[in-house]
């Protein structure tokens, strides 16, 4: 169902940097639509982490950063902390689906 | 601080209609964002956007659900609602209501979410 592909899992030691990729196509990310990222802790609703490809809402630590290039986007977490262990989802829009919102497959971040 | 709360039956029989309401508090549903959405999450499909409604009443739905979905809004009660007809076990999921984040007129994701409500489709 998901039109945006993410790696199932990434891991890193505390203090390290990890990146999560989000691969789309010419009808979504590549068509100029913005990309958002969400963090989801177990049993809790997703939380907006990055909007408009690279902007952080108020209160989100600057350890989180987003970027977009071509048909892909990335989320980087620097200075990994235990509290960052969660599921992360990218989200964009797709012109082949009448500009419907679409989500990525999700990535589990594990802090070793 | 805007808060959203979903309400409705947690168990729906196959072929029946799933009905949920989202109550917005901490501000008027007509101020801030102009759009409100429903999103669901199941174990097999991850996060799936269901649709959105403008405060003026116009709607947009996920094409895969369009034939079965209706979203409505009652600004006087600060609520918007979801109806999903002819449900099957595949519609079992946690259903979230969310506010569409508008940045300088550009739709940019979802900034406020309800806590989610589990709806199970089973006889």
């Amino acid at each position: 169902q998901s039109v945006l592909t993410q790696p199932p899992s990434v891991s890193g030691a505390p203090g390290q940097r990890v990146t999560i990729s989000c691969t789309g196509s010419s009808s979504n990310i590549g068509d100029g639509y913005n990309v958002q990222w969400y963090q989801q802790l177990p049993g809790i609703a997703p939380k907006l982490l990055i909007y408009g490809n690279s902007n952080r809402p108020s209160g989100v630590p600057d350890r989180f950063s987003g970027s977009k290039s071509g048909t892909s986007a990335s989320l980087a977490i620097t200075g990994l902390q235990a509290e960052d262990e969660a599921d992360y989802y990218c989200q964009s829009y797709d012109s082949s689906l009448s500009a419907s919102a679409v989500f990525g497959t999700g990535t589990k971040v594990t802090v070793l | 601080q805007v808060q959203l709360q979903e309400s409705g039956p947690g168990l729906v029989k196959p072929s029946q209609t799933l009905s949920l309401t989202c109550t917005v508090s901490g501000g008027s549903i007509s101020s801030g964002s102009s759009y409100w959405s429903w999103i669901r999450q199941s174990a097999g499909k991850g996060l799936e956007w269901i649709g959105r409604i403008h405060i003026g009443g116009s709607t947009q739905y996920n094409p895969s659900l369009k034939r079965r979905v209706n979203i409505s809004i009652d600004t006087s009660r600060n609520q918007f609602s979801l109806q999903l007809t002819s449900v099957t076990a595949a519609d079992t999921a946690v259903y979230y209501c969310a506010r569409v984040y508008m940045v300088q007129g550009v739709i940019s994701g979802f900034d406020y979410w309800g806590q989610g409500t589990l709806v199970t489709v089973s006889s």
Side-chain angles (χ1 to χ4, degrees), chain A residues 1-2 34 36 38 40 44-46 48 51-52 89 91 93 97-101 103, chain B residues 41 45 47-49 60-64 96 101 103 106-111 113-114:
Chain A
Q1 175 80 15
S2 297
N34 57 26
Q36 283 61 241
Y38 301 86
Q40 187 176 31
I44 297 178
L48 182 63
Y51 68 92
Y89 294 88
Q91 177 263 312
Y93 302 88
L97 300 172
S98 303
S100 295
F103 287 91
Chain B
Q41 184 172 31
K45 284 190 168 184
L47 287 163
E48 181 178 31
W49 180 74
Q60 183 181 0
Y61 302 129
N62 186 325
S64 68
Y96 295 101
Y101 190 35
V103 181
V106 176
I107 291 178
S108 302
F110 311 96
D111 59 348
W113 296 63

Side-chain angles (χ1 to χ4, degrees), chain B residues 50-72:
Chain B
I50 298 171
R52 68 169 177 248
I53 187 164
H54 184 268
I55 54 174
S58 62
T59 54
Q60 183 181 0
Y61 302 129
N62 186 325
S64 68
L65 298 169
K66 188 175 182 177
R67 290 184 301 107
R68 301 193 291 130
V69 172
N70 183 61
I71 298 176
S72 59

Side-chain angles (χ1 to χ4, degrees), chain A residues 3-7 19-25 28-30 35-37 67-75 88-92 102-107:
Chain A
V3 300
L4 304 178
T5 303
Q6 300 177 231
T19 61
I20 302 170
S21 61
C22 174
T23 302
S25 68
N28 41 67
I29 298 175
V35 178
Q36 283 61 241
W37 290 90
S67 63
K68 170 187 162 180
S69 178
T71 58
S72 296
S74 292
L75 174 71
Y88 292 82
Y89 294 88
C90 61
Q91 177 263 312
S92 187
V102 292
F103 287 91
T105 49
T107 299

Side-chain angles (χ1 to χ4, degrees), chain B residues 19-53:
Chain B
S19 296
L20 295 174
T21 294
C22 181
T23 300
V24 178
S25 59
S28 170
I29 199 171
S30 299
S31 64
S33 174
S34 299
Y35 294 93
W36 302 85
S37 264
W38 286 96
I39 297 158
R40 68 181 182 180
Q41 184 172 31
S42 60
K45 284 190 168 184
L47 287 163
E48 181 178 31
W49 180 74
I50 298 171
R52 68 169 177 248
I53 187 164

